[in-house]
């Protein structure tokens, strides 16, 4: 199978770098083909701006989504963005790996998403009408592919537990798992999260490495998070609210899991 790892840490000798090397070695040993987009090493341009749309006239007003859609449709996106889109098409599984910084992904990785996920590629796909809000949440360019996060956090597991002060980890990662990976169609696997990452020594690293190897070996067998697909009757059109008979009386991110 083909695996893309999008890696966002500025230091190759970091814990993240070491765990990435473990993941790559295991995937290679199991016969997979791997590409790593090492964003800092690539000097990835994080911000989406006018330079992303070289065909846009000098006097034309930049409207990011519209310009993105036009550039995608006319093949005038920049080469770095096109290369990442091709890697996504090539991949059977996509892994985003990063340290949790300020409760989310590092800015360089968010910028990868903003630039690579062009209109027509990752959003604004499929029929948009009174009866349908496009191919998204379970359908789209990543449909049939698997995706997962490898993330490290300084906080304790309890800090990210159901009543922990940081908020539940599944809630914090929901915008990435549901909003960035499931939205364009991927089957999203439970994340692999290292807590108290800064407290890692040699002995602990061996344990973590074993867990990463195991997660790489189950990449194509572990059940995905059971998110509800948009276009299979669970949501009311056009409000896109969950029908009342599902998780009656509940609200919040968890209602978007099937019972
Ligand atoms: P490193 O600093 O590279 O390493 C961590 C430890 O692992 C070190 O002790 C190192 O010696 C050891 N180690 C590394 N490689 C090996 C190896 N091969 N073998 C054995 N030991 C090894 N945390 C939160 O929980 N929530 C937040 O919102 C948050 N925001 C942050 C924002 C910023 C800007 C920063 C800088 C940190 C933040 N943190 C937060 C903490 C952050 O998540 C952790 O510092 C990070 O996940 C650690 O990962 P790393 O790869 O950078 O570790």
């Amino acid at each position: 199978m083909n695996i893309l790892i999008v890696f966002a840490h500025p230091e190759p000798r970091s814990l993240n770098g070491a765990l990435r090397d473990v993941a790559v070695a295991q995937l290679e040993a199991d016969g997979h083909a791997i590409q790593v987009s090492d964003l800092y090493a690539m000097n990835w341009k994080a911000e989406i701006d006018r330079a992303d749309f070289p065909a846009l006239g000098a006097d034309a007003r930049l409207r990011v989504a519209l310009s993105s859609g036009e550039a995608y449709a006319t093949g005038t996106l920049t080469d770095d963005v096109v290369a990442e889109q091709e890697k996504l098409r090539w991949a059977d599984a996509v892994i985003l790996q990063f340290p949790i910084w300020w409760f989310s992904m590092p800015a360089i990785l968010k910028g990868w998403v903003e630039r690579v996920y062009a209109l027509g590629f990752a959003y604004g796909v499929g029929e948009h009408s009174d009866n349908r809000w496009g191919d998204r949440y379970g359908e789209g360019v990543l449909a049939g592919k698997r995706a997962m996060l490898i993330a490290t956090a300084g906080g304790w597991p309890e800090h990210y537990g159901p009543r922990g002060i940081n908020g539940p980890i599944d809630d914090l990662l929901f915008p990435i798992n549901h909003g960035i990976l499931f939205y364009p169609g991927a089957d999203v696997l439970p994340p692999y999260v290292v807590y108290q990452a800064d407290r890692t020594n040699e002995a602990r690293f061996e344990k973590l490495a074993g867990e990463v190897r195991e997660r790489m070996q189950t990449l194509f067998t572990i059940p995905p998070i059971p998110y509800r697909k948009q276009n299979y009757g669970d949501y009311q059109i056009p409000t896109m609210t969950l029908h009342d008979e599902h998780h009656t009386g509940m609200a919040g991110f968890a209602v978007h899991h099937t019972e």
Side-chain angles (χ1 to χ4, degrees):
M1 302 292 240
N2 297 336
I3 323 282
L4 171 63
I5 300 177
V6 184
F7 178 79
H9 197 292
E11 172 56 66
R13 293 162 296 178
S14 61
L15 177 61
N16 270 274
L19 293 176
R20 174 201 54 190
D21 293 346
V22 168
V24 168
Q26 184 62 53
L27 292 167
E28 283 178 348
D30 291 339
H32 299 295
I34 301 145
Q35 295 194 70
V36 178
S37 289
D38 184 342
L39 299 183
Y40 285 94
M42 293 158 67
N43 199 22
W44 179 261
K45 172 179 174 287
E47 68 281 6
I48 190 166
D49 61 15
R50 201 172 190 93
D52 280 20
F53 314 111
L56 189 68
D59 296 333
R61 178 181 158 205
L62 171 63
R63 298 176 67 190
V64 173
L66 287 180
S67 299
S68 167
E70 281 172 17
Y72 179 68
T74 55
T76 56
L77 287 166
T78 56
D79 290 346
D80 59 346
V81 166
V82 171
E84 297 306 300
Q85 291 177 343
E86 285 173 359
K87 290 179 199 173
L88 282 170
R89 283 211 173 84
W90 165 87
D92 299 301
V94 181
I95 296 170
L96 306 184
Q97 187 186 348
F98 56 91
I100 293 178
W101 284 353
W102 288 109
F103 301 93
S104 188
M105 53 174 61
I108 199 170
L109 180 54
K110 180 70 169 4
W112 179 89
V113 177
E114 290 176 11
R115 296 185 59 228
V116 174
Y117 275 29
L119 174 62
F121 177 77
Y123 69 107
V125 176
E127 177 190 334
H128 286 71
S129 66
D130 290 347
N131 300 318
R132 194 175 168 97
W133 200 303
D135 297 345
R136 59 174 196 169
Y137 293 119
E139 297 172 278
V141 70
L142 301 189
K145 304 172 187 292
R146 297 192 143 220
M148 75 172 274
L149 308 181
I150 297 178
T152 61
W156 296 18
E158 293 86 349
H159 302 175
Y160 290 99
R163 289 165 63 82
I165 191 164
N166 287 355
I169 193 71
D170 287 345
D171 286 3
L172 292 176
L173 297 181
F174 185 88
I176 305 173
N177 279 331
H178 189 263
I180 289 174
L181 297 174
F182 187 60
Y183 188 105
D187 292 326
V188 185
L189 309 184
Y192 175 70
V193 181
V194 177
Y195 298 97
Q196 293 178 279
D198 303 295
R199 299 295 182 91
T200 304
N201 56 22
E202 293 298 329
R204 184 172 188 230
F205 181 80
E206 285 313 311
K207 180 173 176 292
L208 300 178
E211 292 170 356
V212 167
R213 287 188 197 102
E214 200 263 337
R215 286 300 305 263
M216 294 302 99
Q217 292 187 296
T218 56
L219 194 54
F220 291 98
T221 54
I222 194 171
I225 301 169
Y227 290 135
R228 296 174 188 280
K229 294 186 175 185
Q230 173 182 274
N231 294 321
Y232 290 78
D234 286 355
Y235 295 94
Q236 303 174 69
I237 300 168
T239 58
M240 290 298 154
T241 49
L242 190 62
H243 279 293
D244 292 340
E245 72 255 30
H246 299 302
H247 291 310
T248 307
M250 278 176 60
F253 294 144
V255 303
H256 302 295
H257 292 203
T258 57
E259 282 87 343

